[in-house]
């Protein structure tokens, strides 16, 4: 509902204008002011969309009132009314951004037309702002999905560099050459903290937050040149820990990986951050990988150190024979060095805990592995270690064996049917009951492509069909196939079709014309 304020020192003029305008625009809410000073006060309380302002009034002039009101409320529009047809008044009014100018006396039709024109401008601006806000909200939602998907792909998958470059381009982060990963270990069932943590990171504009996997939340952090690595990481860790209001609580813990020089190396920093969370009982609830004590000198310790990172991928991919071989090699290496059997058992147990952490991260619930007795010799230790690994393998197979058979078909069909929507790995996972990481693995193994490549193919094929309709603009097609920004859509289209959407349409319509002639 539009609101109008009439400002004139003549009661008869005010009443006349109100009568004319109320008849023409019955829904218009109209109030009156007898001078400029009162108009300034009423503008803040009444908040009119339009003010009809007399210029010549005792005390504060209309032009002075317009200047003061505009300074406080730049959205309000003005139509000036005066009996003085002088260039100086008009020049000042135009300078102040006044929309129109009426001379006393004016015909009723002129008054109605002038006010109607300004009210229509207001309505168009309101609709434009609403559409812009809706588009901005839609884009923000898309960017949130983009962010979690980029993190997932970087940490758990081989990314198609074309898509990664474009996705990174869309995210509002100060790009730096150095990055590192922080892994936040949360209490069970603490998904409610996710949004608050994401907001903390977003305010710093220095990181991308991934999806929550079990209890673990990964964050890719971009180095701030004006701060040291440690001071930046500690500051962000404290911000995140403050979300829980339980900074000294035992269940919250943050591991910080080393700095790396490129996005391609970020997985190493992520694996380091997970290793840093292994002992969450420390009084300070964050630890740098660089501060993790060496597991030990000698071949056994080196083997563990070198193989920890490989272990993550072997478990995610279900390569349990390689995991078993690795564990047995460690036992053998320590034996060859004459290490104490209890120490060997403790080292292997720590390794099994890491394996269980990785399984939890991809959505597989497995019991925490513990040796039920102290091994009396290496044979017993090998047997019990093999037994614990078999239990973990069974949990893995039980989780995926029941789901994988029909999952690929469901996922492909879902993406094909909903390619115009914002689809994330997390959303796909919820549809079929699989972890985002495992879905990504399935795509590569069964289709030989990344899931986002398949989604893009579906969108581009749909776009090609829509481009055959000359009545649809490129911008309309952009939104209809699931993109939120025409320039980004054009880049993706050209990468996949080798020509821009405009060029493709021209070729397509040219062929149709030729077919008609023939």
């Amino acid at each position: 509902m539009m609101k109008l304020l009439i400002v004139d020192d003549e009661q008869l003029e005010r009443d006349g204008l109100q009568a004319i305008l109320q008849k023409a625009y019955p829904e218009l809410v109209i109030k009156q002011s007898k001078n400029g000073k009162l108009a300034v006060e009423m503008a803040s309380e009444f908040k009119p969309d339009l003010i009809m302002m007399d210029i010549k009034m005792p005390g504060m002039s209309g032009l002075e009132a317009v200047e003061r009101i505009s300074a406080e409320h730049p959205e309000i529009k003005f139509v000036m009314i005066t009996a003085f047809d002088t260039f100086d008044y008009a020049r000042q009014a135009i300078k102040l951004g006044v929309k129109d100018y009426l001379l006393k006396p004016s015909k009723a039709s002129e008054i109605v037309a002038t006010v109607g024109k300004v009210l229509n401008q207001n309505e168009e601006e309101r609709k434009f702002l609403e559409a812009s806000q809706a588009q901005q909200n839609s884009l923000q939602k898309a960017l949130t999905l983009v962010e979690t998907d980029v993190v997932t792909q970087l940490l758990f998958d081989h990314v198609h560099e074309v898509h990664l470059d474009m996705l990174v381009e869309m995210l509002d982060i100060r790009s730096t050459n150095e990055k590192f990963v922080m892994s936040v270990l949360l209490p069970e069932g603490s998904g409610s903290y996710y949004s608050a943590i994401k907001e903390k990171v977003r305010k710093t504009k220095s990181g991308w937050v991934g999806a929550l996997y079990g209890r673990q939340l990964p964050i890719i952090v971009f180095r701030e040149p004006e701060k040291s690595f440690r001071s930046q990481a500690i500051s962000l860790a404290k911000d995140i820990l403050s979300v829980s209001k339980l900074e000294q609580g035992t269940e919250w813990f943050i591991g910080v990986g080393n700095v790396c020089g490129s996005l391609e190396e970020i997985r190493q920093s992520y694996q380091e951050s997970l290793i840093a969370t292994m002992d969450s009982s420390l009084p300070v609830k964050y630890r740098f990988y660089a501060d993790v004590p060496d597991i030990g000198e000698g071949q056994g310790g080196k083997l563990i150190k070198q193989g920890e990172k490989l272990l993550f991928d072997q478990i995610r991919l279900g390569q349990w024979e390689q995991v078993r071989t690795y564990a047995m090699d460690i036992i053998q290496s320590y034996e060859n060095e004459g290490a104490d059997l209890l120490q060997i058992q403790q080292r292997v147990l720590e390794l099994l805990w890491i394996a269980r952490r990785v399984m939890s991260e991809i959505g597989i619930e497995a019991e925490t592995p513990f040796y039920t007795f102290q091994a009396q010799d290496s044979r017993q230790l090998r047997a019990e270690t093999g037994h614990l690994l078999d239990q973990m393998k069974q949990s893995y197979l039980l989780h995926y064996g029941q789901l994988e058979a029909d999952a690929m078909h469901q996922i492909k069909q879902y993406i094909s049917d909903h390619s115009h929507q914002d689809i994330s790995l997390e959303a796909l996972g919820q549809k079929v009951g699989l972890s985002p990481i495992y879905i990504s693995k399935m795509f590569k193994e069964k289709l030989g492509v990344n899931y986002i490549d398949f989604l893009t193919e579906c969108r581009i094929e749909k776009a090609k069909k829509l481009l055959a309709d000359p009545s649809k603009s490129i911008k309309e097609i952009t939104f209809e196939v699931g993109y939120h920004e025409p320039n980004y859509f054009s880049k993706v289209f050209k990468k996949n079709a080798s020509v821009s959407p405009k060029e493709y349409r021209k070729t397509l319509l040219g062929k149709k014309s030729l077919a008609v002639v023939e």
Side-chain angles (χ1 to χ4, degrees), residues 2-6 21 28-31 46 48 50 52:
M2 293 287 185
K3 293 188 284 187
L4 168 69
L5 177 63
I6 300 172
L21 293 169
L28 189 63
V29 179
I30 303 175
K31 287 191 177 183
F46 182 45
L50 170 62
M52 298 186 74

Side-chain angles (χ1 to χ4, degrees), residues 29-300:
V29 179
I30 303 175
K31 287 191 177 183
Q32 298 182 13
S33 171
K34 63 183 179 181
N35 58 54
K37 183 180 179 183
L38 184 60
V40 172
E41 295 172 2
M42 289 185 70
S44 295
E45 298 170 8
F46 182 45
K47 299 189 186 310
D49 299 285
L50 170 62
I51 297 178
M52 298 186 74
M53 181 78 74
D54 188 19
I55 289 182
K56 203 73 172 173
M57 293 182 291
M60 185 184 293
S61 74
L63 291 172
E64 187 182 348
V66 168
E67 188 172 8
R68 290 182 58 176
I69 292 171
S70 293
E72 294 274 335
H73 310 281
E75 72 284 358
I76 295 177
K77 293 180 175 57
F78 297 89
V79 171
M80 303 307 293
I81 309 172
T82 183
F84 302 93
D85 186 11
T86 64
F87 175 74
D88 188 52
Y89 282 143
R91 182 181 59 78
Q92 290 183 60
I94 292 168
K95 189 176 179 182
L96 291 169
V98 170
K99 289 294 177 184
D100 219 324
Y101 201 95
L102 284 171
L103 287 173
K104 295 180 182 179
S106 291
K107 293 179 181 179
S109 59
E110 289 178 357
I111 294 168
V112 170
T114 299
V115 170
K117 183 173 69 174
V118 178
L119 292 178
N120 284 336
Q121 286 177 0
N122 265 11
E123 182 62 19
E124 287 173 9
E125 287 179 11
R126 183 187 64 78
K127 288 179 178 177
F128 176 77
L129 287 173
E130 285 180 357
S132 296
Q133 186 60 51
Q135 188 173 337
Q136 186 61 37
N137 292 341
S138 180
L139 179 59
Q140 190 56 55
K141 181 183 175 184
L143 288 177
T144 299
L145 294 174
V146 166
E147 182 178 326
T148 55
D149 275 1
V150 166
V151 173
T152 299
Q153 291 179 70
L154 284 170
L155 301 185
F156 310 119
D157 200 2
H158 296 295
V159 186
H160 192 302
E161 61 179 12
V162 170
H163 293 300
L164 178 61
D165 290 343
M166 291 178 182
L167 292 172
V168 169
E169 227 176 82
M170 294 175 69
L171 298 174
D172 181 25
I173 295 290
R174 293 172 292 179
S175 184
T176 58
N177 291 328
E178 295 185 325
K179 304 101 185 152
F180 61 94
V181 178
M182 298 175 69
S183 288
V184 184
L185 198 61
L186 300 172
E188 293 288 351
S190 56
S192 57
Y193 290 107
Y194 179 79
S195 296
I197 294 173
K198 198 172 182 71
E199 187 58 31
K200 286 280 186 184
V201 177
R202 182 175 287 132
K203 282 182 179 178
T204 68
K205 287 196 171 183
S206 65
W208 298 335
V209 180
L212 182 63
Y213 304 111
R215 293 180 55 201
Q216 187 265 325
L217 179 66
I219 304 170
I220 295 177
V221 186
F222 289 77
R223 284 276 295 110
E224 296 178 8
E226 63 274 15
K227 295 180 182 178
S228 72
F229 160 51
R230 281 187 172 260
S231 65
Q232 180 187 354
I234 290 170
S235 175
L236 184 55
K238 287 182 176 178
D239 276 350
I240 292 169
L241 290 168
S242 70
V243 169
S244 70
K245 309 297 182 186
L246 296 168
E247 191 167 335
Q248 299 304 312
T250 57
E251 292 187 279
W252 284 70
F253 200 84
I254 299 174
V256 185
N258 285 333
V259 173
C260 59
S262 69
L263 288 171
E264 289 74 21
E265 299 169 356
I266 204 72
R267 293 174 76 184
Q268 179 174 331
S269 183
Y270 168 63
Q271 292 161 349
E272 292 169 348
S273 71
L274 279 183
I275 293 168
T277 65
M278 193 168 65
D279 183 5
S280 59
S281 65
L282 299 172
V284 178
K285 294 302 165 186
Y286 54 84
R287 182 164 64 169
F288 291 82
Y289 175 74
D291 297 338
V292 175
D294 287 336
I295 293 177
E297 299 299 329
Q299 191 60 34

